[in-house]
Amino acid sequence: MTAVDKHVLTVSENDAEFTKRLEDELVAFNDVATGTAPRGEFSVRATDEDGELIGGLTAWTWGGLCGIELLWVREDSRADGWGSKLLREAEAEALRRGCDRVTVSSFTFQAPGFYQRHGFAEVGRVPGVPGGHSDVHLFKVL
């Protein structure tokens, strides 16, 4: 039996502690490769007069780049410009945090056109999303 034969591979459901360990290890590796750069996370939230969620956005920042993770607006408010308001506020926050670029991905059945109308350019596309869709990667210089 070799040393490799003694190693164990396991598959499990979501494991927050394991995910955090992988993130920490990857951040350490990235810092060595790129130099330590400021990191952060932020969110933008819109609520109505009753305090109910209209929509929101979550994002991260790292070394001058802002990555939009999630942007959602409830269906009855989508025609009211909330997506644009959330995006503009996120871009302003990214600038305050020293970012000069922003990236996002959106499935073809979601909102790539929305981002393109806001100055984003498609930089890549991953096919194979169920239903014949793709994951569109977009980028914008602020």
Side-chain angles (χ1 to χ4, degrees):
M1 182 179 272
T2 68
V4 172
D5 294 332
K6 295 179 184 177
H7 294 109
V8 177
L9 294 174
T10 57
V11 176
S12 63
E13 294 296 320
N14 186 27
D15 179 339
E17 184 177 319
F18 180 64
T19 298
K20 176 73 171 115
R21 169 72 188 274
L22 293 180
E23 287 172 352
D24 290 347
E25 295 291 347
L26 193 54
V27 164
F29 177 86
N30 292 348
D31 284 349
V32 169
T34 64
T36 302
R39 297 174 191 281
E41 296 177 357
F42 68 90
S43 62
V44 182
R45 177 188 312 244
T47 55
D48 64 19
E49 59 277 356
D50 297 322
E52 294 297 319
L53 186 64
I54 294 171
L57 178 150
T58 61
W60 52 263
T61 58
W62 176 49
L65 178 64
C66 174
I68 297 171
E69 289 284 328
L70 302 170
L71 191 160
W72 173 84
V73 175
R74 72 181 188 210
E75 191 169 351
D76 68 345
S77 298
R78 290 185 184 151
D80 298 334
W82 285 106
S84 296
K85 293 172 189 174
L86 291 164
L87 183 58
R88 281 194 301 271
E89 187 61 33
E91 289 177 352
E93 180 61 22
L95 285 167
R96 283 190 288 275
R97 291 171 178 242
C99 295
D100 60 0
R101 297 155 285 136
V102 63
T103 185
V104 66
S105 73
S106 180
F107 296 125
T108 51
F109 60 86
Q110 290 176 326
F114 165 81
Y115 292 106
Q116 290 167 329
R117 288 190 301 278
H118 286 85
F120 285 76
E122 182 176 330
V123 294
R125 188 176 283 239
V126 179
V129 176
H133 299 285
S134 297
D135 187 5
V136 181
H137 296 262
L138 302 118
F139 178 81
K140 178 180 180 178
V141 175
L142 296 175

